[in-house]
């Protein structure tokens, strides 16, 4: 539990972020057997409703993190009020709970900013692999960047809709995911919840959504969503019913300026019914706000399958 409290005299509001650096994946292993809480828990313990105080800089690098306890109310990493924080060269493995939680409950007072992830594998968590939700009315989780991130085998199969577990949940401002994979997860690969303080500006570049059950991507309210050269693959074991599903009835808030430019779709016959691209509106919206182009149908068109 790290609580940096010594504020720089020349930069009011910032204290020095911690640096946890190992020898490398498989060379340094940190193991957590607890049943609650997080292995790495970073917060400034300020009164976030009235004080702006953040941990600036810092990293977790070069290690394996194994969460082997039944931490249903915790997990591997919790970041709150983290600025310019880096997660790199990590293998994060769990049997329950959440892999990475970026807590934002107040807004500007505790929002994290410029969190980057590179060469990270997250696997086996029963709640979320990555959870950066933001409370209702709040989207101050800003500038999350993910490169070469692999999220696999997360979530717990359930009929709950909207999903309460899965690979990744995000609500914030400006998120970029590139050269990454979200595979073999339950319920949903990527979920953007529609709430007041609407999410805005998410870009996916060359992201593989593969063999996620129920749905690969679910948007229930976002301004500006772009996916370029992505893949939505399904198999006959992890059954999906939707590829990209936009359901604005969940929160009565619209998803605007949605663009899919380049997508490969595979869904063998066991995925029935299945709709590759689906939009359900709570209110009418101008035509052209959702556009899908350059789709390659490599294994599709079986009974019960719909393209658009």
């Amino acid at each position: 539990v790290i609580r940096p409290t010594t504020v720089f005299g020349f930069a009011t509001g910032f204290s020095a972020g911690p640096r946890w650096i190992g020898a490398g994946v498989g060379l340094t292993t940190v193991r957590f057997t607890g049943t609650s809480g997080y292995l790495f828990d970073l917060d400034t313990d300020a009164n976030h409703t009235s004080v702006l105080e953040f941990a600036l800089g810092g990293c977790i690098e070069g290690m394996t993190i194994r969460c082997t306890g039944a931490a249903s109310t915790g997990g591997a990493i919790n970041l709150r009020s983290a600025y310019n924080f880096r997660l790199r060269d990590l293998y994060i493995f769990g049997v329950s709970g959440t892999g990475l939680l970026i807590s934002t409950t107040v807004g500007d007072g505790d929002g994290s900013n410029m969190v980057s992830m590179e060469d990270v594998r997250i696997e086996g968590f029963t709640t979320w692999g990555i959870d950066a939700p933001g409370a209702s009315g709040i989207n101050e989780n800003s500038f999350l960047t993910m490169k070469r991130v692999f999220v696999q085998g997360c979530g717990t199969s359930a009929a709950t809709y909207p999903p309460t577990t899965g690979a990744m949940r995000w609500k914030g401002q400006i998120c970029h995911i590139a050269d990454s994979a979200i595979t073999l997860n339950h319920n949903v690969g990527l979920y953007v919840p529609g709430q007041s303080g609407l999410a805005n500006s998410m870009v996916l570049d060359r992201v593989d959504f593969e063999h996620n059950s129920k749905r690969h991507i679910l948007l229930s309210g976002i301004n500006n969503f772009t996916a370029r050269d992505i893949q939505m693959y399904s198999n006959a074991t992890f059954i999906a019913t939707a590829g990209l599903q936009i359901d604005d009835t969940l929160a009565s808030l619209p998803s605007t300026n949605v663009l899919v430019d380049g997508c490969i779709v595979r869904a063998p016959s066991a995925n029935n019914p299945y709709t590759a691209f689906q939009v359900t509106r709570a209110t009418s919206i101008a035509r052209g706000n959702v556009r899908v182009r350059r789709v390659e149908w490599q294994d599709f068109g079986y009974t019960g399958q719909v393209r658009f």
Side-chain angles (χ1 to χ4, degrees):
V1 177
I2 303 296
R3 299 291 185 263
T5 57
T6 302
V7 177
F8 301 143
F10 56 87
T12 302
F14 289 113
S15 53
R19 297 171 65 84
W20 293 293
I21 302 176
V25 170
L27 300 174
T28 297
T29 297
V30 185
R31 189 170 181 179
F32 182 45
T33 60
T35 57
S36 64
Y38 286 83
L39 174 60
F40 294 103
D41 188 343
L42 172 64
D43 191 354
T44 57
D45 264 0
N47 180 352
H48 296 296
T49 61
S50 60
V51 176
L52 295 177
E53 186 175 317
F54 307 94
L56 178 63
C59 65
I60 305 175
E61 294 187 10
M63 66 183 73
T64 297
I65 297 172
R66 293 187 62 199
C67 294
T68 57
S72 59
T73 57
I77 300 170
N78 177 37
L79 301 180
R80 191 177 185 200
S81 301
Y83 264 52
N84 194 22
F85 197 89
R86 184 172 67 251
L87 303 166
R88 191 179 70 84
D89 188 26
L90 299 173
Y91 177 34
I92 306 171
F93 174 81
V95 297
S96 62
T98 296
L100 168 65
L101 174 65
I102 303 177
S103 305
T104 308
T105 60
V106 176
D108 282 334
D110 69 346
S112 291
N113 194 298
M114 293 185 294
V115 173
S116 67
M117 304 173 66
E118 292 187 31
D119 304 310
V120 175
R121 183 182 183 93
I122 299 176
E123 186 172 358
F125 290 91
T126 56
T127 307
W128 295 98
I130 299 171
D131 194 14
S136 181
I138 291 169
N139 68 357
E140 281 81 7
N141 172 23
S142 302
F143 315 120
L144 174 63
T145 303
M146 298 166 52
K147 294 181 179 180
R148 301 179 301 279
V149 175
F150 204 111
V151 183
Q152 177 170 294
C154 294
T156 303
S157 182
T160 307
Y161 182 77
T164 56
T165 72
M168 178 176 177
R169 178 170 60 175
W170 175 84
K171 175 171 171 269
Q173 300 180 97
I174 307 179
C175 176
H176 185 203
I177 306 175
D179 304 321
S180 297
I182 297 177
T183 72
L184 295 169
N185 299 284
H186 292 287
N187 306 318
V188 67
L190 170 64
Y191 173 38
V192 179
Q195 292 174 323
S196 58
L198 202 63
N200 72 73
S201 300
M202 171 175 266
V203 177
L204 312 180
D205 280 317
R206 304 171 304 280
V207 178
D208 174 26
F209 294 88
E210 188 166 344
H211 309 332
N212 300 295
S213 69
K214 296 184 176 65
R215 55 193 62 84
H216 294 296
I217 304 171
L218 174 62
L219 310 177
S220 64
I222 185 171
N223 290 324
N224 299 327
F225 177 90
T226 301
R228 301 188 186 97
D229 299 326
I230 66 170
Q231 302 168 180
M232 296 192 302
Y233 295 169
S234 296
N235 64 12
T237 303
F238 274 52
I239 303 299
T241 58
L244 168 61
Q245 181 177 359
I246 301 173
D247 187 353
D248 294 343
T249 66
L250 291 173
S252 298
L253 292 169
S255 293
T256 61
N257 297 329
V258 175
L259 171 63
V260 178
D261 187 5
C263 181
I264 301 173
V265 177
R266 296 180 188 171
S269 59
N271 297 265
N272 172 22
Y274 181 97
T275 303
F277 301 95
Q278 175 179 320
V279 181
T280 306
R281 292 295 194 197
T283 58
S284 61
I285 194 167
R287 180 180 174 183
N289 269 271
V290 177
R291 296 188 177 186
V292 179
R293 63 194 185 200
R294 293 198 307 116
V295 179
E296 181 177 348
W297 309 91
Q298 288 192 346
D299 188 8
F300 200 82
Y302 300 97
T303 301
Q305 294 185 347
V306 178
R307 296 187 177 193
F308 303 96

